[in-house]
Amino acid sequence: MQRWLTGRQTPKSLDKDAFAALPRHVAIIMDGNGRWAKAHRLNVAMGHRQGTETLREIIRHTDDLGIGALTIYAFSTENWRRSAEEVAALMQLILDFFASEIDELDEKGVRILILGEKDALPPKQRDVLTEAETRTASNTGLRLNIALNYGGRAELTRAARRLAEKVQAGELSLEDITEDALGGELYTAGQPDVDLLIRTSGEMRLSNFLPWQCAYAEFVFPEALWPDFTVADYDEALQVFASRNRRFGGRP
Ligand code: IPE
Ligand code: IPE
Ligand code: MG
């Protein structure tokens, strides 16, 4: 198994301009594990396992580049619809991933945050995730957000309810319900909006991922299936991002 490396050089496939215009927050929909497994005549669980190898490389590269925040979509609120066997394999991968990566991540100063409803996960997974968050809470390096049992609509509904509770308790008035107030009740409170959204495998949809945070994100859809997605593909997406003209509704 490939381990974390340190002191990596500036990527050759990323030119100076792209390096100067890196996104502050990258979000990735890691899609295509199932198709990868099928193409290799393997069980879908092996596709997910191979996907975690890609994930390790992509986290490392994000950290090397000095990008501030990375949010990855690991399991959606809709992914419970998959077979019990596949869900179990994904749950096991959570344990394996943290067992093998948490020391290195912590050493690198990565701060881990889980986006999503942890309480609905099996107790072991819940504990491991909470432990990873607690252990890395005061780290000041890359912010690694892992969307797990996450749904954008669920997140927004939860935020609305939390605001309503505060109004009901008399802590907040209706005028206080602003975009900032709502953003402050999201899992990503205090973090910048997503600048670049990458979805691998050629699919071009959001699948309930960060609808609020991606309001002005640039979207890039590489063809590679997630287990095949390389650091060079990632650099290419960053290069594309740097070439985009972001207007935010204005007329520059
Ligand atoms: C994405 O890969 C990983 C998760 C949803 C957890 P898929 O399993 O969705 O891969 P495809 O879309 O079937 O190829
Ligand atoms: C989104 O991918 C969820 C994750 C990558 C974790 P899906 O493969 O579940 O999305 P759909 O069903 O194709 O929209
Ligand atoms: Mg998929």
Side-chain angles (χ1 to χ4, degrees):
M1 188 171 36
Q2 204 160 351
R3 304 304 308 169
W4 292 88
L5 303 172
T6 49
R8 208 162 181 282
Q9 299 301 304
T10 303
K12 290 183 182 62
S13 51
L14 206 58
D15 72 23
K16 244 178 47 227
D17 290 345
F19 200 61
L22 284 172
R24 289 203 296 166
H25 188 170
V26 177
I28 304 183
I29 302 177
M30 311 183 286
D31 200 13
N33 295 347
R35 277 160 283 169
W36 185 91
K38 201 169 177 198
H40 289 79
R41 296 174 184 278
L42 294 167
N43 186 289
V44 66
M46 292 306 291
H48 293 311
R49 186 163 291 281
Q50 192 62 36
T52 63
E53 300 293 322
T54 302
L55 177 58
R56 179 182 299 116
E57 292 300 307
I58 295 304
I59 295 172
R60 175 164 65 75
H61 194 55
T62 308
D63 182 52
D64 285 349
L65 290 173
I67 291 170
L70 172 67
T71 302
I72 50 155
Y73 207 2
F75 193 88
S76 75
T77 46
E78 287 74 43
N79 286 146
W80 296 108
R81 294 176 186 160
R82 298 189 179 193
S83 72
E85 215 182 329
E86 182 173 355
V87 170
L90 286 163
M91 292 298 141
Q92 182 57 43
L93 271 184
I94 295 172
L95 302 181
D96 296 350
F97 180 80
F98 281 95
S100 73
E101 304 307 316
I102 189 65
D103 288 346
E104 288 92 337
L105 290 169
D106 191 23
E107 256 165 52
K108 282 172 168 261
V110 174
R111 178 171 168 188
I112 295 166
L113 183 71
I114 306 304
L115 318 185
E117 215 44 74
K118 281 201 300 281
D119 288 348
L121 296 171
K124 251 201 226 168
Q125 279 71 7
R126 210 176 50 210
D127 291 350
V128 162
L129 296 169
T130 304
E131 152 73 15
E133 287 181 312
T134 310
R135 177 170 165 183
T136 62
S138 57
N139 285 349
T140 55
L142 170 69
R143 296 210 58 156
L144 176 63
N145 306 311
I146 305 177
L148 232 166
N149 194 21
Y150 172 88
R153 288 180 172 178
E155 180 185 36
L156 285 165
T157 306
R158 173 178 173 271
R161 187 171 296 140
R162 286 160 69 111
L163 286 177
E165 274 166 9
K166 288 184 181 171
V167 172
Q168 204 170 38
E171 293 165 23
L172 214 64
S173 70
L174 275 185
E175 298 75 55
D176 296 328
I177 300 185
T178 59
E179 292 189 5
D180 281 349
L182 199 139
E185 299 294 347
L186 300 177
Y187 294 115
T188 48
Q191 300 195 44
D193 282 345
V194 173
D195 297 303
L196 169 63
L197 182 281
I198 299 171
R199 182 174 188 148
T200 57
S201 86
E203 304 291 356
M204 299 181 192
R205 57 178 169 271
L206 216 41
S207 301
N208 207 8
F209 189 45
L210 304 174
W212 175 281
Q213 298 87 339
C214 283
Y216 268 102
E218 295 295 329
F219 287 32
V220 177
F221 299 108
E223 285 294 323
L225 303 173
W226 179 248
D228 291 329
F229 188 70
T230 63
V231 163
D233 293 328
Y234 189 22
D235 283 343
E236 200 178 315
L238 294 167
Q239 193 76 42
V240 169
F241 172 78
S243 73
R244 296 272 174 90
N245 181 8
R246 302 183 80 191
R247 287 185 285 270
F248 299 98
R251 201 183 292 289

